[in-house]
Amino acid sequence: MSSTPNGQWYPPEWPARIRALAHGELTPAAPRRAATVLLLRDTDAGGPAVHMLRRRTSMAFAGGAYAYPGGSVDPRDERPVAWAGPSLTEWAGRLGFGAGEEAAAQAVVCAAVRETFEEAGVLLAGTSAGTVVADTTGDDWEADRAALVAHELSFADFLDRRGLVLRSDLLGAWARWITPEFEPRRYDTWFFAAALPEGQRTRNVSTEADRTVWIRPAEAAAGYDRGELLMMPPTISTLRGLEAYGTAAEALAAAAGRDLTPVLARAELKDGEIVLSWPGHEEFTKHLTPVAAPAPGSSAAGPSATGSPAATPPPSPPTTTGESTA
C-alpha cells in the first residue's frame, strides 16, 4: 500500500490497473451496494465527535485506513421489516433509486443499521416509532450480534423476534461514493449520519478493526493532513463536511440538503503520467508515475505518487473524547 504526503490511501497497483483499463485490457467489476454510518455524539470541547475504526492491515481492501462502521448490503436486507420514519418511497427517491425500487432502498437503510450494530454494538431501533433501545451490552444481545455477523440470523428476523422497529428517521443520508472502475473490489456506498442513542455506547466488536476511537472531525482531518492517519477520499471528505456543525443534531438536520450525486474517480493518461481525480474534490487529484524497474533479485518496485513515500503502519490518533482500543 502507498500513501501521499498527507494520509490519502491508494494501492500501489492502481497505475498498472488504470493503464490496463485505458487499453481495454481490464473489465471493471460491478460495484456492490454498501452502507456506512458516521456515528456522532456531542462533546464539551467544541463540536461533535465521530466514531471511527482502523481497518486491520491484513484486510485486502483499505488495510490500515481509518473508516466508519459499515459494509455490503445483504440480499436478506430486502426482507420486510417493521419500519419507522420516512416511507420506503421517500427513501428510494432520496437515495437515487427509481420507481419500484423501494426494496433496494430498504436494503441500503437496513444495511446501515445492521452494520452499525454488528461493528459498533449500536442499534438504531426501538419498541415503537418513538423509542430507542437503551442498552445492547448483555450476553443475549451479543449472541444475536454474533449470529448476524455469521449470517445465521437475518436482520428482519432479529428485529421481529425482539419486537423492534427500525428507526430510519434516526439516519440522515450524507453522501454517495463509488469505488473507481480500476479497483478490483468495488462498492457503491451510501454514507449516513446518525447520533449515538442515549444510553448506548460503542464497542470494538468488528473483526475487521484493530482499533476504535471517538474523535472530533477537525482533529481527525488534521491527523490526515499531517500524514499520520490513513484514509480513503470519501472518509476525509465526509469528515471535512462535518466540521461546520456544532452539534450532532445540527449535522443531522443538514443531511436533508446534502447532494447525493455519486462521486466516481476519473483517471486520464497525459504525457506519460496518470492524472487521477475525483470530480468536485480537487484536493484528491494525484499525478502518478511508474518507478524504475527493480534490479534482479531485489524486491519488486511498485508505482508511486509523485513525491510520495511508501506508507508505514498509521499511528493512533490522539485520545480526545473517550477512546477505546482493541
Side-chain angles (χ1 to χ4, degrees):
M1 181 189 305
S2 297
S3 68
T4 57
N6 53 29
Q8 184 174 333
W9 172 87
Y10 77 92
E13 66 270 16
W14 269 9
R17 295 186 62 84
I18 290 170
R19 285 190 173 86
L21 180 66
H23 295 150
E25 300 165 354
L26 179 67
T27 300
R32 298 176 60 183
R33 289 172 181 163
T36 190
V37 176
L38 289 64
L39 195 60
L40 305 171
R41 74 178 185 193
D42 290 327
T43 71
D44 297 326
V50 61
H51 178 69
M52 304 190 75
L53 54 83
R54 184 174 66 189
R55 294 174 59 82
R56 296 184 184 277
T57 55
S58 59
M59 296 297 295
F61 183 81
Y66 279 83
Y68 312 111
S72 299
V73 169
D74 184 326
R76 298 178 300 172
D77 289 331
E78 292 191 5
R79 291 181 54 183
V81 298
W83 190 269
S87 69
L88 290 177
T89 299
E90 291 176 278
W91 272 112
R94 176 67 178 131
L95 299 180
F97 289 101
E101 293 188 283
E102 287 81 6
Q106 178 197 290
V108 171
V109 175
C110 278
V113 176
R114 175 180 52 76
E115 288 283 347
T116 302
F117 181 56
E118 289 182 5
E119 296 202 336
V122 171
L123 183 60
L124 303 177
T127 55
S128 68
T131 63
V132 186
V133 172
D135 184 13
T136 62
T137 58
D139 291 342
D140 58 333
W141 287 104
E142 178 55 26
D144 280 349
R145 191 199 64 80
L148 285 168
V149 172
H151 298 278
E152 297 168 354
L153 178 67
S154 73
F155 195 61
D157 287 341
F158 164 70
L159 293 177
D160 182 63
R161 190 169 73 188
R162 288 186 171 269
L164 296 176
V165 175
L166 186 151
R167 292 287 307 277
S168 76
D169 55 312
L170 299 181
L171 290 167
W174 193 261
R176 181 181 177 187
W177 289 65
I178 301 176
T179 310
E181 292 181 330
F182 43 82
E183 169 61 41
R185 295 173 181 81
R186 301 189 64 213
Y187 301 92
D188 183 352
T189 304
W190 283 263
F191 289 73
F192 296 87
L196 178 69
E198 185 176 354
Q200 293 194 40
R201 61 184 179 86
T202 56
R203 295 177 289 137
N204 185 7
V205 290
S206 172
T207 58
E208 299 180 354
D210 61 10
R211 181 181 179 85
T212 63
V213 63
W214 282 97
I215 187 169
R216 287 188 295 278
E219 294 188 28
Y224 165 90
D225 290 335
R226 294 191 299 267
E228 296 172 357
L229 303 184
L230 193 64
M231 298 181 200
M232 293 175 284
T235 307
I236 183 60
S237 173
T238 49
L239 279 173
R240 295 204 198 284
L242 289 171
E243 289 185 42
Y245 304 101
T247 66
E250 288 179 8
L252 286 172
R258 297 277 303 179
D259 182 7
L260 294 189
T261 302
V263 179
L264 177 64
R266 176 185 302 148
E268 301 175 277
L269 299 178
K270 291 184 177 179
D271 300 325
E273 71 173 7
I274 298 167
V275 179
L276 179 59
S277 62
W278 281 258
H281 300 269
E282 286 72 20
E283 74 163 295
F284 304 126
T285 299
K286 299 299 171 191
H287 297 260
L288 307 177
T289 56
V291 299
S298 66
S299 59
S304 64
T306 303
S308 301
T312 57
S316 303
T319 301
T320 59
T321 54
E323 160 183 33
S324 74
T325 306

